[in-house]
Amino acid sequence: MVRQFYLNQATLLSVLVTDRSLQDTRTGHQARGAVGWLTRKAKETPVTTTTPGIPPRLGGQPRLAAGSWRLDPAQSHASFTAWFAGRPVRGRLPLTGGVLITEPIEDSTARLVARTSAVSTGSTVLDRLLTGPDFLDAGSFPEVTFRSERLAWVPAGWRAVGRLQVKNAEHELACQLDLQVGDPQAGDGPRIAITSSWVIDSRWVTSHWIPALSRHIVMTCSSSLEPDM
């Protein structure tokens, strides 16, 4: 079981840091080295600004204002695609949680929460199956959570490394981030849109051996953040 964990972690980190395909797997030792490289890279990357009064930029992206932000549940969700018997199965779950942006920004933290009983695929039968004891077991485990531990800027953009809790187990996970800062002059107030992309192992969701179910499940979390007053 430990070997499988390190293999998955290594695959994720190699994809996120070097943009290599999921076929390029690494050893557990190299995976742990990649985590350290993410952290070191964040500390070594220079931050510059050319316009007075504008927050410093990193890699062409604006710095975010320090403070506490919460997810707007009406505009935040997690979507997933799993392949079963060669066909895609798509679904989504509502997201809640919060983000604490600090200075330096690399020390910022986030917590995302998805309610397992609210999974929606467009099929009542499939929804009942996924929330049942053979998969997410929503009755015993009402939430799936992600807690970020490291934030780093790499040549390909922002990356976060943290822990995903599914049922009674935690898994180290890396994800790609895309940040967009809203325009306060639009009359909506300050807002941040964060899209995170990751790949999880289907064995984290079900312990049953299902030959037709693909090993990798692709997930995208779309989060709309507003100041937590």
Side-chain angles (χ1 to χ4, degrees), residues 25-54:
T25 55
R26 303 276 190 244
T27 65
H29 174 75
Q30 289 171 315
R32 291 188 294 274
V35 174
W37 183 88
L38 276 171
T39 306
R40 291 195 305 272
K41 192 66 178 177
K43 294 179 179 179
E44 295 169 359
T45 304
V47 180
T48 60
T49 181
T50 57
T51 307
I54 299 298

PDB file of all heavy atoms in Angstrom, residues 25-54:
ATOM      1  N   THR A  25       6.104   7.724 -14.759  1.00  0.00           N
ATOM      2  CA  THR A  25       6.081   7.530 -13.323  1.00  0.00           C
ATOM      3  C   THR A  25       7.479   7.602 -12.750  1.00  0.00           C
ATOM      4  O   THR A  25       8.468   7.396 -13.422  1.00  0.00           O
ATOM      5  CB  THR A  25       5.459   6.173 -12.969  1.00  0.00           C
ATOM      6  OG1 THR A  25       6.183   5.144 -13.676  1.00  0.00           O
ATOM      7  CG2 THR A  25       4.011   6.134 -13.388  1.00  0.00           C
ATOM      8  N   ARG A  26       7.533   7.879 -11.426  1.00  0.00           N
ATOM      9  CA  ARG A  26       8.787   8.050 -10.734  1.00  0.00           C
ATOM     10  C   ARG A  26       8.843   7.142  -9.509  1.00  0.00           C
ATOM     11  O   ARG A  26       7.851   6.538  -9.122  1.00  0.00           O
ATOM     12  CB  ARG A  26       8.944   9.506 -10.269  1.00  0.00           C
ATOM     13  CG  ARG A  26       8.859  10.506 -11.412  1.00  0.00           C
ATOM     14  CD  ARG A  26      10.226  10.632 -12.070  1.00  0.00           C
ATOM     15  NE  ARG A  26      10.214  11.736 -12.998  1.00  0.00           N
ATOM     16  CZ  ARG A  26      10.368  11.589 -14.301  1.00  0.00           C
ATOM     17  NH1 ARG A  26      10.525  10.403 -14.841  1.00  0.00           N
ATOM     18  NH2 ARG A  26      10.367  12.644 -15.081  1.00  0.00           N
ATOM     19  N   THR A  27       9.990   7.130  -8.830  1.00  0.00           N
ATOM     20  CA  THR A  27      10.117   6.387  -7.580  1.00  0.00           C
ATOM     21  C   THR A  27       9.683   7.259  -6.428  1.00  0.00           C
ATOM     22  O   THR A  27       9.586   8.477  -6.542  1.00  0.00           O
ATOM     23  CB  THR A  27      11.584   5.970  -7.350  1.00  0.00           C
ATOM     24  OG1 THR A  27      12.361   7.161  -7.180  1.00  0.00           O
ATOM     25  CG2 THR A  27      12.112   5.167  -8.519  1.00  0.00           C
ATOM     26  N   GLY A  28       9.411   6.641  -5.262  1.00  0.00           N
ATOM     27  CA  GLY A  28       8.998   7.409  -4.091  1.00  0.00           C
ATOM     28  C   GLY A  28      10.049   8.401  -3.668  1.00  0.00           C
ATOM     29  O   GLY A  28       9.744   9.513  -3.251  1.00  0.00           O
ATOM     30  N   HIS A  29      11.354   8.045  -3.761  1.00  0.00           N
ATOM     31  CA  HIS A  29      12.440   8.959  -3.361  1.00  0.00           C
ATOM     32  C   HIS A  29      12.427  10.199  -4.231  1.00  0.00           C
ATOM     33  O   HIS A  29      12.538  11.320  -3.751  1.00  0.00           O
ATOM     34  CB  HIS A  29      13.774   8.238  -3.482  1.00  0.00           C
ATOM     35  CG  HIS A  29      14.943   9.146  -3.227  1.00  0.00           C
ATOM     36  ND1 HIS A  29      15.283   9.565  -1.946  1.00  0.00           N
ATOM     37  CD2 HIS A  29      15.839   9.726  -4.080  1.00  0.00           C
ATOM     38  CE1 HIS A  29      16.336  10.354  -2.026  1.00  0.00           C
ATOM     39  NE2 HIS A  29      16.696  10.475  -3.302  1.00  0.00           N
ATOM     40  N   GLN A  30      12.229  10.031  -5.534  1.00  0.00           N
ATOM     41  CA  GLN A  30      12.193  11.170  -6.444  1.00  0.00           C
ATOM     42  C   GLN A  30      10.968  12.025  -6.192  1.00  0.00           C
ATOM     43  O   GLN A  30      10.998  13.238  -6.344  1.00  0.00           O
ATOM     44  CB  GLN A  30      12.219  10.680  -7.889  1.00  0.00           C
ATOM     45  CG  GLN A  30      13.574  10.099  -8.294  1.00  0.00           C
ATOM     46  CD  GLN A  30      13.498   9.426  -9.640  1.00  0.00           C
ATOM     47  OE1 GLN A  30      12.558   8.681  -9.916  1.00  0.00           O
ATOM     48  NE2 GLN A  30      14.479   9.683 -10.482  1.00  0.00           N
ATOM     49  N   ALA A  31       9.862  11.408  -5.806  1.00  0.00           N
ATOM     50  CA  ALA A  31       8.647  12.175  -5.523  1.00  0.00           C
ATOM     51  C   ALA A  31       8.861  13.111  -4.355  1.00  0.00           C
ATOM     52  O   ALA A  31       8.491  14.273  -4.390  1.00  0.00           O
ATOM     53  CB  ALA A  31       7.491  11.220  -5.204  1.00  0.00           C
ATOM     54  N   ARG A  32       9.470  12.606  -3.276  1.00  0.00           N
ATOM     55  CA  ARG A  32       9.708  13.460  -2.125  1.00  0.00           C
ATOM     56  C   ARG A  32      10.665  14.587  -2.480  1.00  0.00           C
ATOM     57  O   ARG A  32      10.547  15.701  -1.984  1.00  0.00           O
ATOM     58  CB  ARG A  32      10.253  12.604  -0.976  1.00  0.00           C
ATOM     59  CG  ARG A  32       9.224  11.644  -0.409  1.00  0.00           C
ATOM     60  CD  ARG A  32       9.754  10.973   0.849  1.00  0.00           C
ATOM     61  NE  ARG A  32      10.878  10.096   0.573  1.00  0.00           N
ATOM     62  CZ  ARG A  32      10.765   8.832   0.195  1.00  0.00           C
ATOM     63  NH1 ARG A  32       9.560   8.315   0.020  1.00  0.00           N
ATOM     64  NH2 ARG A  32      11.829   8.078  -0.035  1.00  0.00           N
ATOM     65  N   GLY A  33      11.629  14.307  -3.388  1.00  0.00           N
ATOM     66  CA  GLY A  33      12.521  15.356  -3.855  1.00  0.00           C
ATOM     67  C   GLY A  33      11.783  16.418  -4.624  1.00  0.00           C
ATOM     68  O   GLY A  33      12.096  17.602  -4.544  1.00  0.00           O
ATOM     69  N   ALA A  34      10.758  16.012  -5.381  1.00  0.00           N
ATOM     70  CA  ALA A  34       9.971  16.975  -6.152  1.00  0.00           C
ATOM     71  C   ALA A  34       9.186  17.903  -5.234  1.00  0.00           C
ATOM     72  O   ALA A  34       9.033  19.085  -5.504  1.00  0.00           O
ATOM     73  CB  ALA A  34       9.009  16.244  -7.095  1.00  0.00           C
ATOM     74  N   VAL A  35       8.666  17.374  -4.115  1.00  0.00           N
ATOM     75  CA  VAL A  35       7.958  18.230  -3.156  1.00  0.00           C
ATOM     76  C   VAL A  35       8.897  19.299  -2.620  1.00  0.00           C
ATOM     77  O   VAL A  35       8.554  20.474  -2.525  1.00  0.00           O
ATOM     78  CB  VAL A  35       7.397  17.374  -1.994  1.00  0.00           C
ATOM     79  CG1 VAL A  35       6.791  18.282  -0.939  1.00  0.00           C
ATOM     80  CG2 VAL A  35       6.353  16.407  -2.515  1.00  0.00           C
ATOM     81  N   GLY A  36      10.117  18.888  -2.244  1.00  0.00           N
ATOM     82  CA  GLY A  36      11.082  19.855  -1.753  1.00  0.00           C
ATOM     83  C   GLY A  36      11.445  20.877  -2.808  1.00  0.00           C
ATOM     84  O   GLY A  36      11.635  22.057  -2.509  1.00  0.00           O
ATOM     85  N   TRP A  37      11.531  20.433  -4.064  1.00  0.00           N
ATOM     86  CA  TRP A  37      11.856  21.348  -5.156  1.00  0.00           C
ATOM     87  C   TRP A  37      10.771  22.395  -5.311  1.00  0.00           C
ATOM     88  O   TRP A  37      11.064  23.568  -5.550  1.00  0.00           O
ATOM     89  CB  TRP A  37      12.011  20.559  -6.455  1.00  0.00           C
ATOM     90  CG  TRP A  37      12.413  21.430  -7.612  1.00  0.00           C
ATOM     91  CD1 TRP A  37      13.667  21.770  -8.001  1.00  0.00           C
ATOM     92  CD2 TRP A  37      11.534  22.077  -8.543  1.00  0.00           C
ATOM     93  NE1 TRP A  37      13.638  22.578  -9.095  1.00  0.00           N
ATOM     94  CE2 TRP A  37      12.345  22.778  -9.452  1.00  0.00           C
ATOM     95  CE3 TRP A  37      10.146  22.128  -8.698  1.00  0.00           C
ATOM     96  CZ2 TRP A  37      11.808  23.519 -10.504  1.00  0.00           C
ATOM     97  CZ3 TRP A  37       9.615  22.869  -9.738  1.00  0.00           C
ATOM     98  CH2 TRP A  37      10.447  23.546 -10.625  1.00  0.00           C
ATOM     99  N   LEU A  38       9.516  22.020  -5.160  1.00  0.00           N
ATOM    100  CA  LEU A  38       8.420  22.977  -5.243  1.00  0.00           C
ATOM    101  C   LEU A  38       8.593  24.085  -4.209  1.00  0.00           C
ATOM    102  O   LEU A  38       8.451  25.266  -4.503  1.00  0.00           O
ATOM    103  CB  LEU A  38       7.083  22.259  -4.999  1.00  0.00           C
ATOM    104  CG  LEU A  38       6.427  21.566  -6.191  1.00  0.00           C
ATOM    105  CD1 LEU A  38       5.258  20.731  -5.701  1.00  0.00           C
ATOM    106  CD2 LEU A  38       5.972  22.568  -7.226  1.00  0.00           C
ATOM    107  N   THR A  39       8.882  23.686  -2.970  1.00  0.00           N
ATOM    108  CA  THR A  39       9.024  24.665  -1.906  1.00  0.00           C
ATOM    109  C   THR A  39      10.230  25.571  -2.126  1.00  0.00           C
ATOM    110  O   THR A  39      10.159  26.784  -1.951  1.00  0.00           O
ATOM    111  CB  THR A  39       9.160  23.943  -0.556  1.00  0.00           C
ATOM    112  OG1 THR A  39       8.049  23.053  -0.411  1.00  0.00           O
ATOM    113  CG2 THR A  39       9.176  24.931   0.587  1.00  0.00           C
ATOM    114  N   ARG A  40      11.373  24.975  -2.508  1.00  0.00           N
ATOM    115  CA  ARG A  40      12.573  25.775  -2.748  1.00  0.00           C
ATOM    116  C   ARG A  40      12.354  26.751  -3.890  1.00  0.00           C
ATOM    117  O   ARG A  40      12.783  27.897  -3.845  1.00  0.00           O
ATOM    118  CB  ARG A  40      13.761  24.857  -3.069  1.00  0.00           C
ATOM    119  CG  ARG A  40      14.240  24.035  -1.893  1.00  0.00           C
ATOM    120  CD  ARG A  40      15.613  23.447  -2.196  1.00  0.00           C
ATOM    121  NE  ARG A  40      15.609  22.683  -3.426  1.00  0.00           N
ATOM    122  CZ  ARG A  40      15.305  21.391  -3.492  1.00  0.00           C
ATOM    123  NH1 ARG A  40      14.935  20.737  -2.406  1.00  0.00           N
ATOM    124  NH2 ARG A  40      15.368  20.744  -4.648  1.00  0.00           N
ATOM    125  N   LYS A  41      11.659  26.295  -4.941  1.00  0.00           N
ATOM    126  CA  LYS A  41      11.439  27.145  -6.110  1.00  0.00           C
ATOM    127  C   LYS A  41      10.638  28.382  -5.733  1.00  0.00           C
ATOM    128  O   LYS A  41      10.883  29.483  -6.223  1.00  0.00           O
ATOM    129  CB  LYS A  41      10.713  26.350  -7.196  1.00  0.00           C
ATOM    130  CG  LYS A  41      10.706  27.048  -8.547  1.00  0.00           C
ATOM    131  CD  LYS A  41      12.107  27.159  -9.123  1.00  0.00           C
ATOM    132  CE  LYS A  41      12.086  27.820 -10.486  1.00  0.00           C
ATOM    133  NZ  LYS A  41      13.438  28.000 -11.028  1.00  0.00           N
ATOM    134  N   ALA A  42       9.657  28.215  -4.855  1.00  0.00           N
ATOM    135  CA  ALA A  42       8.837  29.355  -4.439  1.00  0.00           C
ATOM    136  C   ALA A  42       9.678  30.400  -3.735  1.00  0.00           C
ATOM    137  O   ALA A  42       9.477  31.602  -3.896  1.00  0.00           O
ATOM    138  CB  ALA A  42       7.729  28.872  -3.508  1.00  0.00           C
ATOM    139  N   LYS A  43      10.653  29.942  -2.910  1.00  0.00           N
ATOM    140  CA  LYS A  43      11.485  30.882  -2.163  1.00  0.00           C
ATOM    141  C   LYS A  43      12.529  31.554  -3.046  1.00  0.00           C
ATOM    142  O   LYS A  43      12.955  32.662  -2.772  1.00  0.00           O
ATOM    143  CB  LYS A  43      12.176  30.132  -1.023  1.00  0.00           C
ATOM    144  CG  LYS A  43      11.197  29.608   0.027  1.00  0.00           C
ATOM    145  CD  LYS A  43      11.928  28.856   1.115  1.00  0.00           C
ATOM    146  CE  LYS A  43      10.943  28.354   2.174  1.00  0.00           C
ATOM    147  NZ  LYS A  43      11.637  27.593   3.237  1.00  0.00           N
ATOM    148  N   GLU A  44      12.951  30.873  -4.130  1.00  0.00           N
ATOM    149  CA  GLU A  44      14.018  31.392  -4.960  1.00  0.00           C
ATOM    150  C   GLU A  44      13.531  32.306  -6.077  1.00  0.00           C
ATOM    151  O   GLU A  44      14.289  33.084  -6.631  1.00  0.00           O
ATOM    152  CB  GLU A  44      14.781  30.226  -5.593  1.00  0.00           C
ATOM    153  CG  GLU A  44      15.516  29.364  -4.556  1.00  0.00           C
ATOM    154  CD  GLU A  44      16.037  28.084  -5.153  1.00  0.00           C
ATOM    155  OE1 GLU A  44      15.795  27.867  -6.374  1.00  0.00           O
ATOM    156  OE2 GLU A  44      16.665  27.298  -4.445  1.00  0.00           O
ATOM    157  N   THR A  45      12.231  32.222  -6.434  1.00  0.00           N
ATOM    158  CA  THR A  45      11.719  32.991  -7.562  1.00  0.00           C
ATOM    159  C   THR A  45      11.626  34.469  -7.215  1.00  0.00           C
ATOM    160  O   THR A  45      11.001  34.837  -6.219  1.00  0.00           O
ATOM    161  CB  THR A  45      10.320  32.488  -7.962  1.00  0.00           C
ATOM    162  OG1 THR A  45      10.398  31.096  -8.238  1.00  0.00           O
ATOM    163  CG2 THR A  45       9.813  33.216  -9.199  1.00  0.00           C
ATOM    164  N   PRO A  46      12.220  35.362  -8.004  1.00  0.00           N
ATOM    165  CA  PRO A  46      12.172  36.794  -7.688  1.00  0.00           C
ATOM    166  C   PRO A  46      10.789  37.378  -7.914  1.00  0.00           C
ATOM    167  O   PRO A  46      10.053  36.943  -8.790  1.00  0.00           O
ATOM    168  CB  PRO A  46      13.184  37.386  -8.673  1.00  0.00           C
ATOM    169  CG  PRO A  46      13.205  36.433  -9.822  1.00  0.00           C
ATOM    170  CD  PRO A  46      12.998  35.072  -9.219  1.00  0.00           C
ATOM    171  N   VAL A  47      10.443  38.359  -7.107  1.00  0.00           N
ATOM    172  CA  VAL A  47       9.176  39.070  -7.230  1.00  0.00           C
ATOM    173  C   VAL A  47       9.483  40.489  -7.658  1.00  0.00           C
ATOM    174  O   VAL A  47      10.269  41.187  -7.021  1.00  0.00           O
ATOM    175  CB  VAL A  47       8.416  39.074  -5.890  1.00  0.00           C
ATOM    176  CG1 VAL A  47       7.109  39.823  -6.033  1.00  0.00           C
ATOM    177  CG2 VAL A  47       8.176  37.647  -5.416  1.00  0.00           C
ATOM    178  N   THR A  48       8.863  40.943  -8.739  1.00  0.00           N
ATOM    179  CA  THR A  48       9.150  42.280  -9.244  1.00  0.00           C
ATOM    180  C   THR A  48       7.861  43.035  -9.515  1.00  0.00           C
ATOM    181  O   THR A  48       6.800  42.467  -9.710  1.00  0.00           O
ATOM    182  CB  THR A  48       9.950  42.205 -10.558  1.00  0.00           C
ATOM    183  OG1 THR A  48       9.179  41.484 -11.529  1.00  0.00           O
ATOM    184  CG2 THR A  48      11.266  41.484 -10.350  1.00  0.00           C
ATOM    185  N   THR A  49       7.958  44.361  -9.520  1.00  0.00           N
ATOM    186  CA  THR A  49       6.823  45.196  -9.884  1.00  0.00           C
ATOM    187  C   THR A  49       7.356  46.411 -10.640  1.00  0.00           C
ATOM    188  O   THR A  49       8.455  46.884 -10.370  1.00  0.00           O
ATOM    189  CB  THR A  49       6.018  45.644  -8.646  1.00  0.00           C
ATOM    190  OG1 THR A  49       4.913  46.449  -9.081  1.00  0.00           O
ATOM    191  CG2 THR A  49       6.872  46.460  -7.692  1.00  0.00           C
ATOM    192  N   THR A  50       6.598  46.895 -11.583  1.00  0.00           N
ATOM    193  CA  THR A  50       7.067  48.016 -12.394  1.00  0.00           C
ATOM    194  C   THR A  50       6.181  49.239 -12.247  1.00  0.00           C
ATOM    195  O   THR A  50       6.520  50.304 -12.723  1.00  0.00           O
ATOM    196  CB  THR A  50       7.104  47.612 -13.880  1.00  0.00           C
ATOM    197  OG1 THR A  50       5.802  47.174 -14.274  1.00  0.00           O
ATOM    198  CG2 THR A  50       8.083  46.480 -14.106  1.00  0.00           C
ATOM    199  N   THR A  51       5.051  49.100 -11.600  1.00  0.00           N
ATOM    200  CA  THR A  51       4.119  50.211 -11.479  1.00  0.00           C
ATOM    201  C   THR A  51       3.869  50.540 -10.023  1.00  0.00           C
ATOM    202  O   THR A  51       3.438  49.670  -9.266  1.00  0.00           O
ATOM    203  CB  THR A  51       2.769  49.867 -12.154  1.00  0.00           C
ATOM    204  OG1 THR A  51       3.032  49.452 -13.486  1.00  0.00           O
ATOM    205  CG2 THR A  51       1.838  51.053 -12.149  1.00  0.00           C
ATOM    206  N   PRO A  52       4.147  51.760  -9.567  1.00  0.00           N
ATOM    207  CA  PRO A  52       3.900  52.123  -8.172  1.00  0.00           C
ATOM    208  C   PRO A  52       2.428  51.937  -7.815  1.00  0.00           C
ATOM    209  O   PRO A  52       1.535  52.252  -8.608  1.00  0.00           O
ATOM    210  CB  PRO A  52       4.304  53.608  -8.116  1.00  0.00           C
ATOM    211  CG  PRO A  52       5.215  53.805  -9.290  1.00  0.00           C
ATOM    212  CD  PRO A  52       4.725  52.866 -10.348  1.00  0.00           C
ATOM    213  N   GLY A  53       2.176  51.424  -6.607  1.00  0.00           N
ATOM    214  CA  GLY A  53       0.808  51.265  -6.138  1.00  0.00           C
ATOM    215  C   GLY A  53       0.163  49.970  -6.564  1.00  0.00           C
ATOM    216  O   GLY A  53      -0.940  49.645  -6.118  1.00  0.00           O
ATOM    217  N   ILE A  54       0.801  49.207  -7.452  1.00  0.00           N
ATOM    218  CA  ILE A  54       0.255  47.924  -7.890  1.00  0.00           C
ATOM    219  C   ILE A  54       0.972  46.822  -7.117  1.00  0.00           C
ATOM    220  O   ILE A  54       2.189  46.845  -7.009  1.00  0.00           O
ATOM    221  CB  ILE A  54       0.465  47.707  -9.400  1.00  0.00           C
ATOM    222  CG1 ILE A  54      -0.250  48.810 -10.170  1.00  0.00           C
ATOM    223  CG2 ILE A  54      -0.044  46.353  -9.830  1.00  0.00           C
ATOM    224  CD1 ILE A  54      -1.746  48.834  -9.980  1.00  0.00           C
TER     225      ILE A  54
END
